[in-house]
Every structure is written in structure tokens, then in C-alpha cells.
Amino acid sequence: MSESSASVLRRAAIRTLAGNWRGTSTVPSPSLYPHQWSWDSAFIAIGLSHWSQRRAETELLSLFGGQWQDGRVPAIVFDPSVDEEGYFPGPSFWQSNTVSGTAPLATSGIVQPPIHARAALDVLRNAREPARARAFLRRLYPRLCREHDYLATRRVVDESGLAAIVHPWESGLDNSPSWDAPLARVPVDRSLLQRYQRRDLQHAGSDERPTDDDYARYIRLAANYRDSGYDDGRRLPSTEFLVIDPLFNALWAWSEEALADIAEVIGLDPEPHLRRARHLGEAMTELLFDSELATFTAYDVLARARVPRRTVAGLVPLVLETLSPAIVRSLTQQLTSAHFGLLDSDIAGVPSYDLRAPDFDGRRYWRGPTWLNTTWLVWRGLRVHGRDDLAAPLAEAMLELAAGAGFREYFDPRTGSGHGTRHFSWSAALILDVVEDLSRTGAHTVSVAE
Ligand code: 2M8
């Protein structure tokens, strides 16, 4: 990348992040998502760490300001200055203030993929003030441990030791085709759509968002969880959706490895974290790796069966350094095959779903489009395993997507066109990370449209 094109892209990313900053945190998008989201904040902190270490630290600390006493880090921390109409489901739906042990700020009651320890470690690695970053890590470490302990104690539902999610939103890949079969058991109560109004369709086309039927199911699952008092212990046996997801667990294990590094930096014992990371990796291989499909898949706890779909979630375990060489080979073959098209010049980034599946949809939310966060995770995974031959073209593809379509929420992998909301924070943040990384090594020529 020439210095000048890199700086165009870098400046555009910083402009987006600065525009979405709300004083102590960053909104994913000023229009569609006007609060603070959990895993978005982790990606955002990674980007911010290249520009403003203080903002990166504040981003994570403010998210953990919403942590509940049981350790869960809620998927959304609501901004009290945004009115209820700004986003559905908002504070009056989740009613976190009626639950004991919750933060003073209103939050949702579900979680999202636990990638925060990894983000905190990246903040240290990119820090211009390392002493300050170490102090930040000392502050955050106990909260990160409680986040992971919540998963280990409240979300483990079988002998695998892996964490289960109780709502598709907890996966981060809301309407992934992996949820079709488990969701089919959840009755569609259309009256919920009259009682509660979807707000997302005011900001994005209905052909790009989840269907009404799926939305009715999401509301039902969330309302049932709320009405149980978010009590995992009592509720899990009677839940209508209970799934063990490879991306969620891979990010937990990857973050556990990061916690080990953080523990060392602040003079504590890394061993318990390494032990848990190793155990999670092995359990994932045993329960979630589908050797016929040659990828990781989700496990439907209630049906006691794997969900045989190839999605990007099945490739994200590449981030784990303890994966066996045979599995790494399977995953890289999967990536370069016609299912995901890495190295195919007609395919941009890593599609969220199998390009060859009959229900692949390049524009509908998590059912086909390329997202920059999952593509970035695969990129990091390829580098963990020394596959720079594949990582380098993927980095190039991410930059080209942003250069051509701007920091959109997602992209059609077949055309590179941008979709969903604009000025999307994690797209900007992760592009900033890639630009900074490549500016140390590579040479690319890109400019950005925003
Ligand atoms: C999307 O999820 C929210 C629900 O949490 C929504 O659809 O309204 C997902 O893409 C999720 O992964 C993301 O964190 C969130 C905010 O960007 O939007």
C-alpha cells in the first residue's frame, strides 16, 4: 500500500470512529444501533487502540460498567440519552432494572461472543503508553475472569464443558442458517409483532434483514428469558433454543489464551487460563467438528445433534493455536474451496454462508454476505497457523471492499456492493487494524469511498 492511499483509508476510518464516539463508548451505527454493543465494542477497541489508547481503554471499561453481578457482560448497554423509540428491543423490554445484581445503567439480559480479553490484549500490544495499558489490564482482568466464569458456571449444560447460547442474538450471527432447524421448534406468535414494533426496518430493506417470522421467534425467546428472571439455572432445562456454537466457544477459548498472557503481564498465574483454553479446544474438536463437512458446526442441545451447515462460524476456530494440523488443513481447504471462495478473484472476503448452498443469499444479513469482523477473525486465524499465503490476499480483499463500498455493515461477496447500515464502526475499526498491520509490511494501492 502506498503511504498516501494508506493514510486516506486510515483517516476515513478514524473519521467514522470519531463520529460514532459518544463520550465513553462508540455506537455501532448512529442510526440502526444507537447504544453500546458488547462484541462490537471489542472490535472497536482494537481499532481505537491504533489511534487513541485512552479511548480504547475507556470503550472496554465502559462496557464492563454494565456487567452484572453474576459476571455476564450484557449484549447491549443502553445510552440513557437515547429515547426508547431509538431501538427495539430497548430498556423497557429487557427490564434489567427489575433484576437484582444488575448495573445501574439499563442493559439487555443476553450476552454476545466473549472476545473482550483478546481485545484488551491487543490494546496492550498496540499501546504507546505500555505502563498505562498495564494498569488498565490490572483493572479489567478480574472482570474478564468473571465474564468467563459466568460462562463456565451458568452456560455449560453438558459434560463437554462448552458454553451454550439461549438466543440466536447471542451468537452475533443473528439469522445464520445454522439457527433454522433449532428455531423451527419455536412457535411463531405474530401478535408479538403487533405488540412490539420492529425498528430495524426503518433503517434497512426488509429483503436484507431477518424475516418477520424469525423476528417473532426472537422476541418470544427473549421475553421468556426475561420472564424467568434471566435465571440460567432454573430456565435452561425448559428453554426452546439451546445451542453450542463454534464461533462463540472459539472466541471464549481464544480470549482464555489472551487472559493467560494478561495474567503473566500483571504477575499472576497463567496456567488456569491455558488449561481451560486447551480443554475448550479439545471439546470443540470432539463435539463440533464434522469430518464429513470438514468444518466445525453448531450443536443443537435439545435435538442432541449437530446442525450440518457450513457457515463462517465453523471456520473461526482457526484462531486457536492448539488445533491439530489435520483440522487446520481441513479448514484452509474449506476456505479455498468453492464453498467459501478464498483465492477466487470473483469472491470478496469470507462469505458468512456456503456459496454453494441452495439458500445462500448474498444480501440478507448473516445468510451469505461478507462481514468484516468474521473475515478479520479468519485472517487472524490464518496468521496464527503461519498461512500468510492466504492471509495476505484476504487482507487485500478487506481493504478493497472498504475502498470500493465504504464502511458498510456487510457486503455482497459476489459483487463487493455494500449493504446494511453505513458508517459502521467495526468495519472502520478493523480496517484501521489491517491498514496499520500492513503498513508495517505490505504495499497496496487503495482509496476509500465513504
Ligand atoms: C446485530 O444484532 C442486533 C441484535 O443484537 C440486531 O440485529 O438488532 C448483529 O449483527 C450483531 O452481531 C451486532 O453486534 C449488532 C450491532 O452491530 O447488530
Side-chain angles (χ1 to χ4, degrees), residues 28 33 37 39-40 87 112 169 172 174 209 365-366 371 424 426:
Y33 309 117
W37 259 259
W39 80 325
D40 297 62
Y87 179 78
Q112 274 194 319
W169 287 338
D174 298 11
R209 294 284 302 179
Y365 223 38
W366 290 98
W371 292 68
F424 190 57
W426 83 38

Side-chain angles (χ1 to χ4, degrees), residues 318 320-321 323-333 385 387:
L318 263 183
L320 297 179
E321 59 189 52
L323 277 195
S324 76
I327 290 199
V328 172
R329 242 186 337 270
S330 290
L331 297 183
T332 50
Q333 276 163 8
H385 298 286
R387 293 304 304 267

Side-chain angles (χ1 to χ4, degrees), residues 39-118:
W39 80 325
D40 297 62
S41 272
F43 294 121
I44 290 164
I46 290 169
L48 284 176
S49 69
H50 294 287
W51 167 48
S52 164
Q53 181 184 338
R54 286 168 192 238
R55 285 195 183 190
E57 293 170 1
T58 305
E59 180 80 41
L60 288 171
L61 288 170
S62 69
L63 176 72
F64 277 79
Q67 186 170 33
W68 292 17
Q69 241 163 43
D70 65 8
R72 87 182 70 197
V73 176
I76 307 174
V77 178
F78 290 105
D79 176 346
S81 72
V82 173
D83 57 43
E84 187 72 33
E85 275 65 54
Y87 179 78
F88 174 80
S92 72
F93 177 89
W94 294 103
Q95 299 166 19
S96 66
N97 57 345
T98 65
V99 182
S100 70
T102 55
L105 280 182
T107 73
S108 69
I110 55 172
V111 298
Q112 274 194 319
I115 188 189
H116 309 94
R118 182 54 58 176

